[in-house]
Amino acid sequence: VCCVRDGYNVNLALHHLERGGDLAAEIVTNDVRLDDEGRIAILTGPNRGGKTTYAQAIGLMQVLAQAGLFVPGSQARISPADGVYSHFPADEELVRGTGRFGDEAQRLRQILEQATRHSLILLNESLSGTHAGESLYLSRDVVLILRMLGPRVVFATHLHELAEQVEAINAEVAG
C-alpha cells in the first residue's frame, strides 16, 4: 500500500523555502491511496496542473519511507517496494537512431521486464512520442499489462480517454 494524507512534494517545498516563499499558501497537499482497492492511478489535467509534481511526490514519499525518514504529510502507511521505476520524458538519443517513441518503448519494456507486484511505477506522459490515437491504444494495453502484473502505478497523461476507459479495463482484466 501507499496511503498518505495531506502529502506533498518535498522537493517543491524545499524549492519554495529557498526562494523565501510562504509554504502554506504555495504548496497544495493531496491524498494518495494505492492499495488493493485501486493500485493504478491515472492522472489527467491541463499542462502545469500538477500531474508531474504529484507523481514525483509519490516516488519521493516511497523512497523516504523505505529509508526510515519523515514522509511529507499528516499521516502515512507505505509498504516497502522491491523497486521504484520511473518513466519520464527524456532527451532523444539520436546516436541510437530510435527516435523519441522508440526510446520510450525501450525504456518502458525494461521496466515491465523488471517490475513485480511489489513495485512502484511512475509514468509521466509515457508513449506520447506518437500521435494521440496510437498513444491511446498503446497506453491502454500498457495499463492492462500493469493491471495484470499488479504493481502500484501512477500514470500522468493528457489522454483523458484513457481515464474514461478505467471501468472497461478493470472489467476486461476481471473477465
Side-chain angles (χ1 to χ4, degrees):
V1 302
C2 180
C3 296
V4 180
R5 182 174 293 144
D6 303 319
Y8 58 92
N9 185 318
V10 69
N11 194 32
L12 181 62
L14 291 171
H15 176 72
H16 282 298
L17 279 176
E18 285 177 359
R19 292 187 12 231
D22 177 11
L23 289 184
E26 297 179 33
I27 300 297
V28 175
T29 63
N30 292 282
D31 294 343
V32 178
R33 184 168 179 203
L34 298 171
D35 58 17
D36 288 336
E37 296 292 317
R39 298 182 65 81
I40 299 176
I42 298 177
L43 309 175
T44 62
N47 284 334
R48 304 196 47 85
K51 296 181 302 294
T52 299
T53 300
Y54 182 77
Q56 288 173 344
I58 294 170
L60 289 167
M61 289 175 205
Q62 182 71 46
V63 171
L64 290 169
Q66 285 195 214
L69 299 171
F70 171 76
V71 172
S74 64
Q75 185 179 26
R77 191 178 72 163
I78 301 176
S79 299
D82 61 5
V84 178
Y85 302 95
S86 65
H87 190 268
F88 283 60
D91 293 331
E92 286 184 49
E93 292 187 30
L94 299 176
V95 177
R96 280 197 264 181
T98 58
R100 180 175 168 203
F101 177 72
D103 183 55
E104 285 183 344
Q106 286 177 359
R107 290 187 301 118
L108 187 57
R109 178 181 172 209
Q110 290 172 346
I111 291 170
L112 293 174
E113 287 175 345
Q114 296 174 9
T116 72
R117 177 175 175 14
H118 304 289
S119 300
L120 173 64
I121 302 174
L122 307 169
L123 306 172
N124 189 45
E125 300 299 333
S126 296
L127 302 172
S128 61
T130 186
H131 70 76
E134 278 185 357
S135 182
L136 176 61
Y137 178 79
L138 293 169
S139 295
R140 186 180 190 286
D141 283 350
V142 167
V143 170
L144 277 168
I145 291 166
L146 291 169
R147 177 76 168 83
M148 288 185 272
L149 182 62
R152 291 168 275 171
V153 178
V154 177
F155 193 157
T157 181
H158 286 291
L159 297 171
H160 298 276
E161 299 89 350
L162 182 63
E164 292 168 0
Q165 295 180 13
V166 168
E167 285 186 31
I169 291 169
N170 283 327
E172 191 169 330
V173 172

